[in-house]
Amino acid sequence: MTRFLTTLAFLAATTAPAFADVDIQEVETPAGFTAWLVEEPSIPFVSLEIWFRGGTSVDAPGKRGAVNLMTALLEEGSGDLDARGFAEARDDLAASFGFRASDDTVTVSARFLSETTDDAVALLKQAITAPSMDPVAVERVRAQVLAGLRSDAEDPGAIASQTFAKLAFGDHPYGSDGDGTLDSVAALTREDLLAAHAGAMAQDRIYIGAAGDISPEKLAEVIDTLLADLPETGAPLPGPAPLLLTGDVDVVPFETPQSVIQFAQPGMARDDPDFFAAYVVNQIFSGGGFGARLMTEVREKRGLTYGIYAYLAQKDQSELLVGQASTANERAAETVAVIREEWAKMQADGPTQAELDQAKTYLTGAYPLRFDGNDSLARIVVGMQIDGLSIDYIATRNDKVEAVTLEDARRVAGELLDPDALSFVIVGQPEGLDLGN
Amino acid sequence: MFRSVLFGTGLALMAMVPAHAEAVTEFTLENGLDVVVIEDHRSPAVVHMLWYKVGAADEMPGKSGIAHLLEHLMFKGTEIRSPGEFSQIVEANGGNDNAFTSWDYTGYFQRIAADRLPLMMEMEADRMTNLQLTDELTAPEVSVVLEERNQRTDSNPDALFREQASAAQYLNHPYGRPVIGWRHEVEALTAEDALAFYRRFYVPNNAILIVAGDVTPDEVRSLAETYYGGLVPNPDLAERDRVIEPPQIAARRLVFEDPRIAQPYVVRSYLAPERNSGDQEQAAALSLLGNLLGDGPATSVLGRKLQFDTEVALYTAAYYAGTSLDATTFNLTVVPVDGVSLADAEAALDDVLRQFMIEGVDEDHLARLKRQYAADAIYSMDDAQGLARRYGDALTSGLTVADVQAWPEVIQAVTPEQIMAAAEMVFQDRNSVTGWLRAPIAAETEVTQ
């Protein structure tokens, strides 16, 4: 019985799972917008993602935090509705709307029952195009943002991220918190917020994804209704963000039992011919799964941490290989030493054939599991557009992973991984670190 | 198949709401393993979950954290698999796997292509009986769990306070112990502790298998019989009859000071009844009470009165988690704006509750909430894994598939009178724990100087 089952496991591991394709339609609207749609009528609702490139990085000089505060105010009243009227109208429709600002995007995520499409779109249009920025709402939400900033100042993870951003990116917008500072947020005026709205949510930077129970014709009508009143051009995007990492270990003293360790080095561009080799190497080396080298060495063998991972971060204006772990203060030095050692080992020798094979089977098999619902599909197809991928990318992606040879993987591991550039920020009371690096 | 739900709002909205559009089938194997199948044929993937009806509230005193440590150790190998091999095989087949522990359950799951289901079942059945543990394998995992505790709890003042508040809320019941365990007890856990717990509780008649995705009930039944059918039940397994709370006769008040608390706030919890099989009306009323009080800043009673009408609070919340084997809690939070003291924030909270008891339920608000619950029946079909968790959570908390399916209708039938009766019942000072969280006064003084 046991032998039979083991054989079965072997067979299963060597045949690729069969998956249906994701059918993406490109929709051109009369007003000239482009959207990608996955039409899926079996459940009567629609997921819609509208992303604006630029995000908090288009904050005007001296107005840090304006885009973030503006985005938080979109649901606080618009057109003829105050915050309460807007929320009640939304709940009447059983719709949900999410508005978020990040370094590179302002995103609008909407979900509504297909039979309420027209009403939900009319309400969402108000929020996107005619937010009131009512002074009372501005003060209420400003106080919430300030409270968040004060909490971040006492949060070791947030301190680590912000320290790292400053070291890596200096004066580029990526180098500071998009939420702003206590002073900059306190100084924002209603006019600043209206300017941030016009600058960040303009027609020249829109990407649209939709999935669910909606036809291409109806989607085109919805998009033109929602977006045609926005300004044609927005604020200038920031320029490239050169990385300023020096390979040092920076410690931010903070009273806590556990050190938060962030580490990073230069990454790789999405359109680099070696990107897929780098992606596979990253999976083998520092993917979050069990069996990745860092997870095995730092967690499984030594019990130094609950979790450790690093990933290729693609920002619009920069690329990083960035990771994180947390460990007891007295074990921080050992954790850093193990990470450095594994970094050097992977750079020198690259992965084994067995590791490469397993990573490919995992990546190609797990890929289709992402396409598991309307919300996921809408996010994926809008993300593909903002990343500049082609509409047939999904069908070709696994071939690109399969095409990575052991030679490629070893060469790219050697070229990409750079123990000298690997920089650490540690927040806590780490013991035994040699800071003379 | 379809049930008409009519709302008196003039909107055609949701004239047709599928009552339980998810296709759910249940059956039980001869060895007592319960099986639930949720069909979703949109993509050829499957979620395979095995839930054990055992959690942190079933631990022996002095062994807190053993349910959760065992969850970690279940990946350490069997007679035929080496440590870590389980997850490696899942990944080599393009799947993801993980596990979770709560007070009432411990669950293991994989998401994977549907044609890999037999392999998942074979491996999960194998580790139900053949786990191999040594002290050498256990010791590093105890360190991992202590780092998890450092990360989730000791580095987080809110989480540290929640441990203290739960301990104060439950005078006798094991819900007063943290799932991850008290540090000094976790440090002392051994392989033998884990194996004793494992042998007693990891048996087919204490487990629920949930398979959601591109499968049919017939397929699952046949596979489950092949892989799980031969497992031997534990005939001595007793009902989960835990100690019950004595009458709580004194309101408890806690003050927690930690320099990492940048934003002081007040929390209040009340001991509250949980959902019970065939008797979910009161829990449904409490759920709606939680929504009425805390469903968002612009719509909820707390948000309107404390964030809009008076600017006392930056943030408010109310929440009732009814899916629980034993008595649960109804929770309230107020984060005051700068310049409002915790005493004033608490007084304002109590004022709002008093006014609510006088003014009663806003029927338009209630209608909107019911509409959202009805729509959730549609939205939730998009997420087979979420549905699987919903059923697993319920079925390990003393509920049945029929209870889960009846819940939307029970919610729709709740009246304002039932909600007010539930509020009257639950808001009893003697059952309450009130906490103030703030930075040490001295530290605040330093900052202002």
Side-chain angles (χ1 to χ4, degrees):
Chain A
M1 187 66 180
T2 299
R3 268 176 213 290
F4 164 71
L5 291 168
T6 309
T7 310
L8 176 78
F10 175 72
L11 282 177
T14 51
T15 45
F19 274 98
D21 286 337
V22 177
D23 181 16
I24 307 173
Q25 305 175 61
E26 184 162 272
V27 177
E28 297 285 346
T29 76
F33 297 101
T34 301
W36 288 5
L37 166 65
V38 181
E39 198 174 349
E40 214 300 312
S42 70
I43 306 176
F45 80 95
V46 181
S47 295
L48 177 64
E49 295 283 335
I50 300 168
W51 292 10
F52 298 83
R53 189 189 290 281
T56 61
S57 294
V58 305
D59 273 338
K63 306 295 181 192
R64 199 58 172 145
V67 169
N68 176 67
L69 182 57
M70 174 279 290
T71 307
L73 280 157
L74 293 175
E75 61 182 346
E76 293 286 333
S78 49
D80 52 357
L81 296 172
D82 61 8
R84 191 157 151 175
F86 181 82
E88 288 179 356
R90 178 200 61 209
D91 292 352
D92 268 333
L93 296 164
S96 67
F97 302 136
F99 306 100
R100 284 184 187 78
S102 69
D103 278 1
D104 287 323
T105 52
V106 168
T107 65
V108 177
S109 306
R111 190 161 76 155
F112 47 86
L113 300 169
S114 34
E115 68 177 1
T116 70
T117 299
D118 289 337
D119 291 336
V121 166
L123 187 61
L124 180 60
K125 177 195 170 97
Q126 278 197 184
I128 293 176
T129 60
S132 314
M133 304 291 163
D134 160 59
V136 175
V138 170
E139 292 318 312
R140 187 173 58 244
V141 178
R142 188 202 310 271
Q144 291 165 353
V145 171
L146 292 172
L149 290 173
R150 283 192 292 263
S151 292
D152 284 350
E154 300 296 334
D155 178 71
I159 295 169
S161 298
Q162 283 167 28
T163 306
F164 216 109
K166 182 73 190 164
L167 289 169
F169 298 113
D171 293 334
H172 191 277
Y174 291 168
S176 62
D177 185 353
D179 290 356
T181 66
L182 292 175
D183 290 341
S184 74
V185 173
L188 293 171
T189 64
R190 181 169 183 274
E191 286 63 40
D192 294 334
L193 298 171
L194 292 171
H197 179 251
M201 298 180 72
Q203 292 187 15
D204 60 350
R205 59 197 63 206
I206 293 179
Y207 301 83
I208 305 156
D213 183 24
I214 189 166
S215 69
E217 297 73 26
K218 184 68 187 176
L219 178 63
E221 180 195 319
V222 161
I223 290 167
D224 284 351
T225 305
L226 280 174
L227 306 175
D229 292 350
L230 288 173
E232 283 181 19
T233 51
L237 298 174
L243 274 177
L244 310 173
L245 296 175
T246 53
D248 291 337
V249 177
D250 283 87
V251 174
V252 182
F254 188 79
E255 204 168 314
T256 176
Q258 194 182 40
S259 293
V260 174
I261 304 174
Q262 281 213 357
F263 46 96
Q265 64 142 77
M268 185 176 282
R270 191 76 181 68
D271 56 2
D272 190 299
D274 283 331
F275 177 79
F276 276 91
Y279 183 67
V280 173
V281 166
N282 177 70
Q283 174 64 28
I284 295 166
F285 182 55
S286 56
F290 294 99
R293 285 206 192 171
L294 286 182
M295 193 70 126
T296 303
E297 296 297 326
V298 180
R299 170 171 162 157
E300 295 302 299
K301 288 194 185 163
R302 296 176 178 84
L304 289 168
T305 189
Y306 175 51
I308 181 166
Y309 62 89
Y311 64 100
L312 289 162
Q314 310 293 328
K315 297 173 87 77
D316 272 359
Q317 306 294 343
S318 185
E319 297 91 27
L320 280 169
L321 174 54
V322 59
Q324 182 162 336
S326 298
T327 191
N329 284 319
E330 58 273 21
R331 306 178 80 184
E334 183 185 357
T335 303
V336 170
V338 175
I339 294 170
R340 281 198 188 285
E341 197 177 309
E342 290 304 314
W343 218 271
K345 210 185 285 176
M346 191 63 156
Q347 188 216 15
D349 304 332
T352 65
Q353 185 70 51
E355 285 176 320
L356 178 65
D357 292 346
Q358 175 153 348
K360 283 186 186 179
T361 329
Y362 169 68
L363 290 171
T364 55
Y367 186 57
L369 299 179
R370 295 179 192 181
F371 310 111
D372 66 345
N374 293 342
D375 284 348
S376 319
L377 284 165
R379 277 194 303 272
I380 288 169
V381 300
V382 74
M384 285 167 63
Q385 292 170 81
I386 208 161
D387 285 345
L389 304 176
S390 64
I391 200 164
D392 63 354
Y393 172 81
I394 293 174
T396 64
R397 182 268 195 188
N398 275 357
D399 294 342
K400 291 173 177 151
V401 171
E402 292 290 1
V404 175
T405 64
L406 185 62
E407 202 185 345
D408 293 334
R410 288 188 168 158
R411 175 179 57 78
V412 171
E415 290 167 7
L416 173 71
L417 295 175
D418 184 354
D420 293 332
L422 179 63
S423 307
F424 291 81
V425 165
I426 305 179
V427 179
Q429 298 157 303
E431 295 172 16
L433 279 168
D434 173 15
L435 296 177
N437 177 57
Chain B
M1 200 66 181
F2 288 82
R3 176 175 72 97
S4 286
V5 181
L6 293 170
F7 299 97
T9 63
L11 275 170
L13 172 66
M14 278 185 294
M16 299 275 283
V17 172
H20 338 102
E22 72 263 20
V24 176
T25 310
E26 61 171 326
F27 52 89
T28 303
L29 302 190
E30 277 180 26
N31 61 12
L33 179 73
D34 288 324
V35 184
V36 176
V37 183
I38 303 167
E39 291 181 72
D40 176 1
H41 300 286
R42 291 178 301 160
S43 83
V46 73
V47 179
H48 172 249
M49 289 184 150
L50 192 69
W51 296 65
Y52 292 98
K53 288 184 268 185
V54 65
D58 301 298
E59 294 163 341
M60 302 302 289
K63 302 289 181 188
S64 68
I66 193 64
H68 171 253
L69 176 64
L70 174 59
E71 176 228 296
H72 279 234
L73 294 172
M74 285 291 282
F75 295 86
K76 291 297 182 188
T78 65
E79 287 167 14
I80 58 165
R81 295 210 163 84
S82 56
E85 194 180 347
F86 189 105
S87 297
Q88 281 168 20
I89 293 175
V90 174
E91 289 191 11
N93 283 275
N96 292 303
D97 74 322
N98 215 328
F100 46 84
T101 307
S102 185
W103 281 279
D104 293 330
Y105 53 76
T106 312
Y108 301 82
F109 71 95
Q110 304 87 39
R111 271 191 81 229
I112 202 156
D115 62 356
R116 304 299 147 90
L117 183 58
L119 175 62
M120 298 302 106
M121 286 195 180
E122 181 272 313
M123 294 204 301
E124 199 62 84
D126 173 45
R127 69 175 170 178
M128 193 192 293
T129 49
N130 297 320
L131 183 68
Q132 300 289 299
L133 279 187
T134 60
D135 285 330
E136 291 68 42
L137 284 171
T138 304
E141 208 56 35
V142 169
S143 295
V144 168
V145 170
L146 289 169
E147 290 303 336
E148 182 180 358
R149 194 192 143 85
N150 267 339
Q151 187 174 326
R152 289 183 191 273
T153 309
D154 299 311
S155 296
N156 180 342
D158 309 294
L160 280 172
F161 174 77
R162 280 196 296 276
E163 281 189 344
Q164 301 288 314
S166 290
Q169 181 72 70
Y170 293 98
L171 303 176
N172 197 35
H173 191 281
Y175 285 168
R177 295 195 298 249
V179 170
I180 200 162
W182 299 113
R183 172 176 292 276
H184 65 287
E185 294 185 355
V186 174
E187 284 169 342
L189 295 174
T190 64
E192 193 38 53
D193 292 328
L195 283 169
F197 198 80
Y198 172 72
R199 290 190 200 106
R200 179 170 167 201
F201 292 114
Y202 279 44
V203 289
N205 52 323
N206 198 38
I208 297 160
L209 173 68
I210 302 183
V211 181
D214 191 17
V215 288
T216 64
D218 286 347
E219 267 175 81
V220 174
R221 181 190 291 272
S222 154
L223 290 171
E225 277 169 359
T226 302
Y227 294 104
Y228 290 101
L231 299 173
V232 182
N234 174 3
D236 301 326
L237 190 73
E239 280 293 303
R240 284 199 284 180
D241 204 5
R242 296 171 182 154
V243 296
I244 55 173
E245 284 290 298
Q248 300 197 346
I249 55 173
R252 278 131 281 165
R253 303 188 61 82
L254 310 179
V255 177
F256 180 52
E257 295 188 339
D258 185 308
R260 296 170 293 183
I261 300 171
Q263 194 64 50
Y265 62 100
V266 182
V267 293
R268 166 89 51 79
S269 61
Y270 296 92
L271 197 67
E274 74 284 5
R275 286 168 72 184
N276 286 308
S277 186
D279 175 19
Q280 304 188 86
E281 286 75 12
Q282 192 175 50
L286 286 169
S287 294
L288 285 163
L289 176 65
N291 301 137
L292 287 165
L293 292 176
D295 74 334
T299 49
S300 69
V301 173
L302 286 175
R304 284 181 177 189
K305 302 220 167 177
L306 299 181
Q307 294 175 253
F308 280 68
D309 296 350
T310 62
E311 289 166 14
V312 167
L314 275 177
Y315 173 81
T316 57
Y319 184 64
Y320 164 74
T323 309
S324 174
L325 188 62
D326 299 315
T328 181
T329 55
F330 190 102
N331 308 289
L332 301 161
T333 302
V334 177
V335 183
V337 297
D338 259 1
V340 171
S341 69
L342 292 175
D344 288 345
E346 185 183 342
L349 169 65
D350 284 324
D351 273 348
V352 172
L353 295 180
R354 263 192 300 274
Q355 283 171 45
F356 177 77
M357 297 312 296
I358 296 164
E359 291 167 8
V361 173
D362 171 347
E363 301 219 14
D364 289 342
H365 190 187
L366 180 60
R368 279 197 302 277
L369 289 170
K370 289 185 176 180
R371 218 166 298 151
Q372 288 170 270
Y373 274 97
D376 177 68
I378 293 174
Y379 293 134
S380 64
M381 284 191 296
D382 198 39
D383 180 9
Q385 182 162 349
L387 281 175
R389 281 197 81 136
R390 187 179 292 185
Y391 278 91
D393 189 15
L395 270 54
T396 51
S397 302
L399 300 170
T400 64
V401 168
D403 292 323
V404 176
Q405 300 194 333
W407 180 250
E409 292 173 42
V410 175
I411 287 277
Q412 295 299 329
V414 171
T415 63
E417 293 69 31
Q418 287 173 314
I419 292 171
M420 296 315 292
E424 192 80 52
M425 177 274 305
V426 80
F427 294 140
Q428 300 286 337
D429 283 347
R430 59 192 169 79
N431 286 334
S432 72
V433 176
T434 303
W436 289 10
L437 290 87
R438 65 188 182 204
I441 301 297
E444 279 181 0
T445 311
E446 278 166 29
V447 170
T448 55
Q449 279 166 350

